[in-house]
Amino acid sequence: MNPSFSIRRAKLEDENAVLQLVDELENRASDPRVFHQIWKEYLGHAHTFVWVVESQENQLVGFLSVIGQNLLHHEGMVYEIQELIVTAACQGNGLGRKLIETLRAELKEKDVKSIEVTSSKRRKEAHAFYEAMGFTNSHEKFTIYF
């Protein structure tokens, strides 16, 4: 990882910068009120971890959120990556890799069955990244939207 970046746990005051990153990831404008409520839930949940990537200029240029839950069919804890983004201008610096390594180090001493991630079928570069990080494409995901 480029030494001009650092990874740290997210704080409540990171909300606006993370909102901008989510908007970049999803290519849309989020509702800030809804985002605010979910952000507070994320940071207050015992099995949720959120890390941010910060530049030397104190700009947030990436983040990773992961939520864990005990699942009957896995007979234990499974963590699922909810969001992972490194802003386009900072990609190629090993920041996504470092975020995944940070996650793995956090979970290494816990009794975790797996880490999972769902990625839109259109995000082919993300799929290649996850495979390079050791993830296996093992499931199909089906969704009903409301």
Short mmCIF file of all heavy atoms in Angstrom, two decimals, residues 89-143:
data_model
loop_
_atom_site.label_atom_id
_atom_site.label_comp_id
_atom_site.label_asym_id
_atom_site.label_seq_id
_atom_site.Cartn_x
_atom_site.Cartn_y
_atom_site.Cartn_z
N ALA A 89 -9.91 7.79 -8.65
CA ALA A 89 -8.62 8.46 -8.74
C ALA A 89 -7.53 7.77 -7.93
O ALA A 89 -6.35 7.97 -8.19
CB ALA A 89 -8.76 9.91 -8.28
N CYS A 90 -7.91 6.93 -6.97
CA CYS A 90 -6.93 6.29 -6.09
C CYS A 90 -6.82 4.79 -6.31
O CYS A 90 -6.06 4.11 -5.60
CB CYS A 90 -7.26 6.59 -4.63
SG CYS A 90 -7.11 8.33 -4.23
N GLN A 91 -7.56 4.26 -7.26
CA GLN A 91 -7.46 2.83 -7.53
C GLN A 91 -6.08 2.50 -8.10
O GLN A 91 -5.44 3.34 -8.71
CB GLN A 91 -8.57 2.39 -8.48
CG GLN A 91 -9.93 2.44 -7.81
CD GLN A 91 -11.07 2.08 -8.74
OE1 GLN A 91 -10.87 1.68 -9.88
NE2 GLN A 91 -12.28 2.25 -8.25
N GLY A 92 -5.63 1.29 -7.88
CA GLY A 92 -4.32 0.87 -8.37
C GLY A 92 -3.20 1.07 -7.37
O GLY A 92 -2.05 0.79 -7.68
N ASN A 93 -3.54 1.54 -6.17
CA ASN A 93 -2.54 1.75 -5.12
C ASN A 93 -2.55 0.64 -4.07
O ASN A 93 -1.90 0.77 -3.03
CB ASN A 93 -2.78 3.10 -4.42
CG ASN A 93 -2.39 4.27 -5.28
OD1 ASN A 93 -1.23 4.41 -5.64
ND2 ASN A 93 -3.35 5.11 -5.61
N GLY A 94 -3.30 -0.44 -4.30
CA GLY A 94 -3.36 -1.53 -3.34
C GLY A 94 -4.27 -1.26 -2.16
O GLY A 94 -4.22 -1.99 -1.16
N LEU A 95 -5.11 -0.24 -2.25
CA LEU A 95 -5.96 0.13 -1.12
C LEU A 95 -7.08 -0.88 -0.88
O LEU A 95 -7.38 -1.21 0.27
CB LEU A 95 -6.52 1.54 -1.32
CG LEU A 95 -5.46 2.64 -1.50
CD1 LEU A 95 -6.12 3.97 -1.79
CD2 LEU A 95 -4.56 2.73 -0.29
N GLY A 96 -7.71 -1.35 -1.94
CA GLY A 96 -8.75 -2.38 -1.79
C GLY A 96 -8.18 -3.64 -1.17
O GLY A 96 -8.76 -4.24 -0.27
N ARG A 97 -7.01 -4.04 -1.64
CA ARG A 97 -6.33 -5.22 -1.10
C ARG A 97 -6.04 -5.02 0.39
O ARG A 97 -6.28 -5.91 1.20
CB ARG A 97 -5.02 -5.47 -1.86
CG ARG A 97 -4.17 -6.59 -1.28
CD ARG A 97 -2.98 -6.89 -2.16
NE ARG A 97 -3.37 -7.37 -3.48
CZ ARG A 97 -3.75 -8.62 -3.75
NH1 ARG A 97 -3.77 -9.53 -2.80
NH2 ARG A 97 -4.09 -8.97 -4.97
N LYS A 98 -5.58 -3.84 0.75
CA LYS A 98 -5.26 -3.56 2.15
C LYS A 98 -6.52 -3.58 3.02
O LYS A 98 -6.49 -4.05 4.16
CB LYS A 98 -4.52 -2.22 2.28
CG LYS A 98 -4.04 -1.94 3.66
CD LYS A 98 -3.00 -2.95 4.12
CE LYS A 98 -2.48 -2.59 5.49
NZ LYS A 98 -1.71 -3.67 6.10
N LEU A 99 -7.63 -3.10 2.50
CA LEU A 99 -8.89 -3.16 3.24
C LEU A 99 -9.30 -4.60 3.51
O LEU A 99 -9.69 -4.96 4.63
CB LEU A 99 -10.00 -2.41 2.49
CG LEU A 99 -9.95 -0.89 2.58
CD1 LEU A 99 -10.86 -0.26 1.53
CD2 LEU A 99 -10.35 -0.43 3.98
N ILE A 100 -9.19 -5.47 2.50
CA ILE A 100 -9.53 -6.89 2.68
C ILE A 100 -8.57 -7.53 3.67
O ILE A 100 -8.97 -8.32 4.54
CB ILE A 100 -9.52 -7.64 1.33
CG1 ILE A 100 -10.60 -7.09 0.40
CG2 ILE A 100 -9.67 -9.14 1.55
CD1 ILE A 100 -12.02 -7.36 0.82
N GLU A 101 -7.30 -7.20 3.59
CA GLU A 101 -6.32 -7.74 4.54
C GLU A 101 -6.63 -7.28 5.96
O GLU A 101 -6.49 -8.05 6.92
CB GLU A 101 -4.90 -7.32 4.14
CG GLU A 101 -4.41 -8.02 2.89
CD GLU A 101 -3.11 -7.44 2.34
OE1 GLU A 101 -2.61 -6.42 2.87
OE2 GLU A 101 -2.60 -8.01 1.36
N THR A 102 -7.07 -6.04 6.12
CA THR A 102 -7.46 -5.53 7.43
C THR A 102 -8.64 -6.31 7.98
O THR A 102 -8.67 -6.69 9.16
CB THR A 102 -7.79 -4.02 7.34
OG1 THR A 102 -6.63 -3.33 6.86
CG2 THR A 102 -8.22 -3.46 8.68
N LEU A 103 -9.62 -6.58 7.13
CA LEU A 103 -10.78 -7.38 7.52
C LEU A 103 -10.36 -8.78 7.95
O LEU A 103 -10.77 -9.27 9.01
CB LEU A 103 -11.77 -7.46 6.35
CG LEU A 103 -12.92 -8.45 6.49
CD1 LEU A 103 -13.79 -8.12 7.69
CD2 LEU A 103 -13.73 -8.48 5.20
N ARG A 104 -9.55 -9.42 7.14
CA ARG A 104 -9.11 -10.79 7.47
C ARG A 104 -8.34 -10.82 8.78
O ARG A 104 -8.52 -11.74 9.59
CB ARG A 104 -8.27 -11.36 6.33
CG ARG A 104 -9.13 -11.62 5.08
CD ARG A 104 -8.32 -12.23 4.00
NE ARG A 104 -8.10 -13.62 4.38
CZ ARG A 104 -7.85 -14.59 3.53
NH1 ARG A 104 -7.79 -14.34 2.26
NH2 ARG A 104 -7.65 -15.82 3.95
N ALA A 105 -7.49 -9.84 9.03
CA ALA A 105 -6.74 -9.78 10.28
C ALA A 105 -7.69 -9.61 11.47
O ALA A 105 -7.50 -10.23 12.52
CB ALA A 105 -5.72 -8.65 10.24
N GLU A 106 -8.72 -8.80 11.31
CA GLU A 106 -9.71 -8.57 12.39
C GLU A 106 -10.43 -9.86 12.73
O GLU A 106 -10.69 -10.16 13.89
CB GLU A 106 -10.71 -7.50 11.96
CG GLU A 106 -11.83 -7.27 12.95
CD GLU A 106 -11.42 -6.45 14.16
OE1 GLU A 106 -10.55 -5.57 14.02
OE2 GLU A 106 -11.99 -6.67 15.24
N LEU A 107 -10.78 -10.63 11.70
CA LEU A 107 -11.60 -11.83 11.91
C LEU A 107 -10.79 -13.08 12.21
O LEU A 107 -11.35 -14.10 12.60
CB LEU A 107 -12.49 -12.06 10.69
CG LEU A 107 -13.48 -10.94 10.37
CD1 LEU A 107 -14.29 -11.29 9.13
CD2 LEU A 107 -14.39 -10.63 11.55
N LYS A 108 -9.47 -13.00 12.04
CA LYS A 108 -8.62 -14.18 12.17
C LYS A 108 -8.76 -14.87 13.52
O LYS A 108 -8.79 -16.09 13.60
CB LYS A 108 -7.15 -13.78 11.93
CG LYS A 108 -6.20 -14.95 11.94
CD LYS A 108 -4.79 -14.50 11.63
CE LYS A 108 -3.89 -15.72 11.58
NZ LYS A 108 -2.53 -15.37 11.21
N GLU A 109 -8.86 -14.11 14.58
CA GLU A 109 -8.92 -14.68 15.93
C GLU A 109 -10.35 -14.99 16.37
O GLU A 109 -10.55 -15.48 17.47
CB GLU A 109 -8.25 -13.73 16.92
CG GLU A 109 -6.80 -13.43 16.60
CD GLU A 109 -5.92 -14.68 16.53
OE1 GLU A 109 -6.08 -15.58 17.39
OE2 GLU A 109 -5.08 -14.77 15.62
N LYS A 110 -11.32 -14.70 15.54
CA LYS A 110 -12.72 -14.97 15.88
C LYS A 110 -13.14 -16.29 15.24
O LYS A 110 -12.52 -16.77 14.31
CB LYS A 110 -13.61 -13.82 15.39
CG LYS A 110 -13.25 -12.47 16.00
CD LYS A 110 -14.15 -11.39 15.48
CE LYS A 110 -13.84 -10.00 15.95
NZ LYS A 110 -13.29 -9.79 17.23
N ASP A 111 -14.19 -16.88 15.77
CA ASP A 111 -14.71 -18.12 15.22
C ASP A 111 -15.65 -17.80 14.06
O ASP A 111 -16.86 -17.74 14.23
CB ASP A 111 -15.43 -18.92 16.30
CG ASP A 111 -15.88 -20.29 15.82
OD1 ASP A 111 -15.32 -20.79 14.82
OD2 ASP A 111 -16.81 -20.86 16.43
N VAL A 112 -15.07 -17.54 12.90
CA VAL A 112 -15.82 -17.12 11.72
C VAL A 112 -15.79 -18.25 10.69
O VAL A 112 -14.74 -18.82 10.42
CB VAL A 112 -15.21 -15.83 11.12
CG1 VAL A 112 -15.88 -15.45 9.82
CG2 VAL A 112 -15.31 -14.70 12.13
N LYS A 113 -16.96 -18.54 10.13
CA LYS A 113 -17.05 -19.60 9.12
C LYS A 113 -16.63 -19.12 7.74
O LYS A 113 -16.00 -19.85 6.99
CB LYS A 113 -18.48 -20.15 9.06
CG LYS A 113 -18.97 -20.73 10.37
CD LYS A 113 -18.14 -21.92 10.78
CE LYS A 113 -18.64 -22.50 12.09
NZ LYS A 113 -17.89 -23.64 12.53
N SER A 114 -17.01 -17.87 7.38
CA SER A 114 -16.66 -17.37 6.05
C SER A 114 -16.87 -15.86 5.97
O SER A 114 -17.52 -15.27 6.83
CB SER A 114 -17.50 -18.06 4.96
OG SER A 114 -18.87 -17.73 5.11
N ILE A 115 -16.30 -15.30 4.92
CA ILE A 115 -16.56 -13.93 4.50
C ILE A 115 -17.18 -14.03 3.12
O ILE A 115 -16.65 -14.73 2.25
CB ILE A 115 -15.27 -13.09 4.42
CG1 ILE A 115 -14.55 -13.05 5.76
CG2 ILE A 115 -15.59 -11.68 3.93
CD1 ILE A 115 -13.15 -12.46 5.68
N GLU A 116 -18.29 -13.34 2.94
CA GLU A 116 -18.99 -13.38 1.66
C GLU A 116 -19.12 -11.98 1.09
O GLU A 116 -19.02 -11.00 1.82
CB GLU A 116 -20.39 -13.99 1.84
CG GLU A 116 -20.37 -15.41 2.34
CD GLU A 116 -21.75 -16.02 2.53
OE1 GLU A 116 -22.76 -15.27 2.53
OE2 GLU A 116 -21.82 -17.25 2.68
N VAL A 117 -19.33 -11.91 -0.20
CA VAL A 117 -19.57 -10.64 -0.86
C VAL A 117 -20.50 -10.89 -2.04
O VAL A 117 -20.40 -11.92 -2.71
CB VAL A 117 -18.26 -9.95 -1.31
CG1 VAL A 117 -17.52 -10.78 -2.34
CG2 VAL A 117 -18.53 -8.54 -1.81
N THR A 118 -21.41 -9.97 -2.26
CA THR A 118 -22.26 -9.98 -3.44
C THR A 118 -21.86 -8.79 -4.29
O THR A 118 -21.67 -7.69 -3.77
CB THR A 118 -23.74 -9.87 -3.05
OG1 THR A 118 -24.08 -10.97 -2.21
CG2 THR A 118 -24.64 -9.87 -4.27
N SER A 119 -21.72 -9.01 -5.58
CA SER A 119 -21.31 -7.93 -6.48
C SER A 119 -22.19 -8.00 -7.73
O SER A 119 -22.40 -9.08 -8.29
CB SER A 119 -19.84 -8.11 -6.85
OG SER A 119 -19.41 -7.08 -7.69
N SER A 120 -22.69 -6.86 -8.14
CA SER A 120 -23.55 -6.78 -9.31
C SER A 120 -22.90 -7.47 -10.51
O SER A 120 -21.68 -7.36 -10.72
CB SER A 120 -23.83 -5.32 -9.65
OG SER A 120 -24.53 -5.22 -10.87
N LYS A 121 -23.69 -8.14 -11.31
CA LYS A 121 -23.17 -8.84 -12.49
C LYS A 121 -22.43 -7.91 -13.44
O LYS A 121 -21.52 -8.33 -14.14
CB LYS A 121 -24.31 -9.54 -13.23
CG LYS A 121 -24.87 -10.71 -12.48
CD LYS A 121 -25.96 -11.41 -13.27
CE LYS A 121 -26.57 -12.52 -12.46
NZ LYS A 121 -26.11 -13.83 -12.81
N ARG A 122 -22.77 -6.62 -13.44
CA ARG A 122 -22.13 -5.66 -14.35
C ARG A 122 -20.75 -5.24 -13.89
O ARG A 122 -19.98 -4.68 -14.66
CB ARG A 122 -23.02 -4.44 -14.54
CG ARG A 122 -23.21 -3.60 -13.31
CD ARG A 122 -24.12 -2.37 -13.58
NE ARG A 122 -24.69 -1.83 -12.38
CZ ARG A 122 -24.03 -1.09 -11.49
NH1 ARG A 122 -22.77 -0.81 -11.69
NH2 ARG A 122 -24.63 -0.64 -10.42
N ARG A 123 -20.36 -5.54 -12.66
CA ARG A 123 -19.07 -5.09 -12.11
C ARG A 123 -17.98 -6.14 -12.32
O ARG A 123 -17.44 -6.71 -11.38
CB ARG A 123 -19.23 -4.76 -10.64
CG ARG A 123 -20.11 -3.56 -10.39
CD ARG A 123 -20.00 -3.08 -8.97
NE ARG A 123 -20.67 -1.81 -8.82
CZ ARG A 123 -21.58 -1.55 -7.93
NH1 ARG A 123 -21.94 -2.47 -7.06
NH2 ARG A 123 -22.13 -0.36 -7.86
N LYS A 124 -17.63 -6.36 -13.56
CA LYS A 124 -16.66 -7.40 -13.90
C LYS A 124 -15.29 -7.16 -13.27
O LYS A 124 -14.62 -8.10 -12.85
CB LYS A 124 -16.51 -7.52 -15.43
CG LYS A 124 -17.81 -7.84 -16.15
CD LYS A 124 -18.36 -9.19 -15.75
CE LYS A 124 -19.59 -9.54 -16.56
NZ LYS A 124 -20.34 -10.64 -15.97
N GLU A 125 -14.85 -5.90 -13.20
CA GLU A 125 -13.55 -5.61 -12.57
C GLU A 125 -13.57 -5.95 -11.09
O GLU A 125 -12.58 -6.44 -10.55
CB GLU A 125 -13.18 -4.14 -12.79
CG GLU A 125 -12.82 -3.83 -14.22
CD GLU A 125 -12.48 -2.36 -14.43
OE1 GLU A 125 -12.39 -1.59 -13.45
OE2 GLU A 125 -12.29 -1.98 -15.60
N ALA A 126 -14.71 -5.71 -10.44
CA ALA A 126 -14.83 -6.06 -9.02
C ALA A 126 -14.75 -7.58 -8.85
O ALA A 126 -14.11 -8.07 -7.92
CB ALA A 126 -16.14 -5.53 -8.44
N HIS A 127 -15.38 -8.32 -9.76
CA HIS A 127 -15.33 -9.79 -9.67
C HIS A 127 -13.89 -10.28 -9.77
O HIS A 127 -13.47 -11.15 -9.01
CB HIS A 127 -16.17 -10.42 -10.79
CG HIS A 127 -17.59 -9.96 -10.81
ND1 HIS A 127 -18.43 -10.23 -11.85
CD2 HIS A 127 -18.32 -9.24 -9.91
CE1 HIS A 127 -19.62 -9.70 -11.61
NE2 HIS A 127 -19.57 -9.09 -10.44
N ALA A 128 -13.14 -9.72 -10.70
CA ALA A 128 -11.73 -10.12 -10.86
C ALA A 128 -10.94 -9.77 -9.60
O ALA A 128 -10.09 -10.55 -9.16
CB ALA A 128 -11.13 -9.42 -12.09
N PHE A 129 -11.23 -8.62 -9.00
CA PHE A 129 -10.55 -8.22 -7.76
C PHE A 129 -10.84 -9.24 -6.66
O PHE A 129 -9.91 -9.71 -5.98
CB PHE A 129 -11.00 -6.82 -7.33
CG PHE A 129 -10.61 -6.48 -5.92
CD1 PHE A 129 -9.31 -6.12 -5.62
CD2 PHE A 129 -11.54 -6.53 -4.89
CE1 PHE A 129 -8.93 -5.81 -4.31
CE2 PHE A 129 -11.18 -6.22 -3.59
CZ PHE A 129 -9.88 -5.87 -3.29
N TYR A 130 -12.11 -9.57 -6.46
CA TYR A 130 -12.46 -10.51 -5.38
C TYR A 130 -11.83 -11.89 -5.61
O TYR A 130 -11.35 -12.52 -4.68
CB TYR A 130 -13.98 -10.62 -5.21
CG TYR A 130 -14.59 -9.37 -4.62
CD1 TYR A 130 -15.56 -8.65 -5.30
CD2 TYR A 130 -14.17 -8.90 -3.38
CE1 TYR A 130 -16.11 -7.50 -4.76
CE2 TYR A 130 -14.72 -7.75 -2.83
CZ TYR A 130 -15.69 -7.06 -3.52
OH TYR A 130 -16.23 -5.92 -2.98
N GLU A 131 -11.82 -12.34 -6.84
CA GLU A 131 -11.18 -13.63 -7.13
C GLU A 131 -9.69 -13.56 -6.85
O GLU A 131 -9.11 -14.49 -6.29
CB GLU A 131 -11.47 -14.06 -8.57
CG GLU A 131 -12.91 -14.50 -8.73
CD GLU A 131 -13.29 -14.87 -10.16
OE1 GLU A 131 -12.54 -14.55 -11.10
OE2 GLU A 131 -14.36 -15.48 -10.32
N ALA A 132 -9.05 -12.45 -7.19
CA ALA A 132 -7.62 -12.27 -6.89
C ALA A 132 -7.37 -12.24 -5.39
O ALA A 132 -6.28 -12.62 -4.94
CB ALA A 132 -7.10 -10.99 -7.54
N MET A 133 -8.37 -11.84 -4.62
CA MET A 133 -8.25 -11.79 -3.16
C MET A 133 -8.57 -13.13 -2.51
O MET A 133 -8.54 -13.26 -1.30
CB MET A 133 -9.17 -10.71 -2.59
CG MET A 133 -8.75 -9.29 -2.94
SD MET A 133 -7.07 -8.86 -2.42
CE MET A 133 -7.11 -9.20 -0.69
N GLY A 134 -8.91 -14.14 -3.32
CA GLY A 134 -9.15 -15.48 -2.79
C GLY A 134 -10.60 -15.87 -2.63
O GLY A 134 -10.91 -16.96 -2.16
N PHE A 135 -11.52 -15.00 -3.02
CA PHE A 135 -12.94 -15.35 -2.97
C PHE A 135 -13.27 -16.31 -4.11
O PHE A 135 -12.69 -16.22 -5.19
CB PHE A 135 -13.81 -14.09 -3.11
CG PHE A 135 -13.83 -13.20 -1.90
CD1 PHE A 135 -12.81 -12.28 -1.70
CD2 PHE A 135 -14.86 -13.27 -0.98
CE1 PHE A 135 -12.81 -11.45 -0.60
CE2 PHE A 135 -14.87 -12.45 0.13
CZ PHE A 135 -13.85 -11.53 0.32
N THR A 136 -14.20 -17.20 -3.86
CA THR A 136 -14.68 -18.16 -4.86
C THR A 136 -16.10 -17.79 -5.25
O THR A 136 -16.94 -17.52 -4.38
CB THR A 136 -14.68 -19.59 -4.28
OG1 THR A 136 -13.35 -19.90 -3.85
CG2 THR A 136 -15.15 -20.60 -5.29
N ASN A 137 -16.38 -17.79 -6.54
CA ASN A 137 -17.74 -17.53 -7.01
C ASN A 137 -18.55 -18.81 -6.82
O ASN A 137 -18.57 -19.68 -7.68
CB ASN A 137 -17.72 -17.10 -8.48
CG ASN A 137 -19.08 -16.67 -8.97
OD1 ASN A 137 -20.08 -16.81 -8.28
ND2 ASN A 137 -19.13 -16.14 -10.17
N SER A 138 -19.24 -18.91 -5.68
CA SER A 138 -19.87 -20.16 -5.29
C SER A 138 -21.39 -20.12 -5.22
O SER A 138 -22.01 -21.14 -4.97
CB SER A 138 -19.34 -20.59 -3.91
OG SER A 138 -19.69 -19.62 -2.94
N HIS A 139 -22.00 -18.96 -5.41
CA HIS A 139 -23.44 -18.83 -5.23
C HIS A 139 -24.05 -17.99 -6.35
O HIS A 139 -23.36 -17.20 -6.98
CB HIS A 139 -23.77 -18.11 -3.91
CG HIS A 139 -23.45 -18.89 -2.69
ND1 HIS A 139 -22.17 -19.11 -2.25
CD2 HIS A 139 -24.26 -19.50 -1.79
CE1 HIS A 139 -22.20 -19.81 -1.13
NE2 HIS A 139 -23.46 -20.06 -0.83
N GLU A 140 -25.33 -18.14 -6.52
CA GLU A 140 -26.13 -17.23 -7.31
C GLU A 140 -27.02 -16.49 -6.32
O GLU A 140 -27.52 -17.08 -5.37
CB GLU A 140 -27.01 -17.98 -8.31
CG GLU A 140 -26.25 -18.70 -9.40
CD GLU A 140 -25.64 -17.75 -10.42
OE1 GLU A 140 -26.18 -16.64 -10.62
OE2 GLU A 140 -24.62 -18.12 -11.02
N LYS A 141 -27.23 -15.21 -6.53
CA LYS A 141 -28.09 -14.43 -5.64
C LYS A 141 -29.33 -14.02 -6.42
O LYS A 141 -29.25 -13.55 -7.53
CB LYS A 141 -27.36 -13.18 -5.12
CG LYS A 141 -28.21 -12.40 -4.14
CD LYS A 141 -27.40 -11.34 -3.43
CE LYS A 141 -28.24 -10.71 -2.34
NZ LYS A 141 -27.41 -9.97 -1.41
N PHE A 142 -30.48 -14.19 -5.77
CA PHE A 142 -31.76 -13.83 -6.37
C PHE A 142 -32.41 -12.75 -5.52
O PHE A 142 -32.34 -12.80 -4.29
CB PHE A 142 -32.67 -15.07 -6.46
CG PHE A 142 -32.07 -16.16 -7.30
CD1 PHE A 142 -31.25 -17.13 -6.71
CD2 PHE A 142 -32.28 -16.19 -8.66
CE1 PHE A 142 -30.68 -18.13 -7.48
CE2 PHE A 142 -31.69 -17.20 -9.43
CZ PHE A 142 -30.90 -18.17 -8.84
N THR A 143 -33.02 -11.78 -6.18
CA THR A 143 -33.53 -10.60 -5.47
C THR A 143 -34.93 -10.25 -5.91
O THR A 143 -35.25 -10.35 -7.11
CB THR A 143 -32.61 -9.38 -5.77
OG1 THR A 143 -31.26 -9.74 -5.44
CG2 THR A 143 -33.02 -8.16 -4.98
#
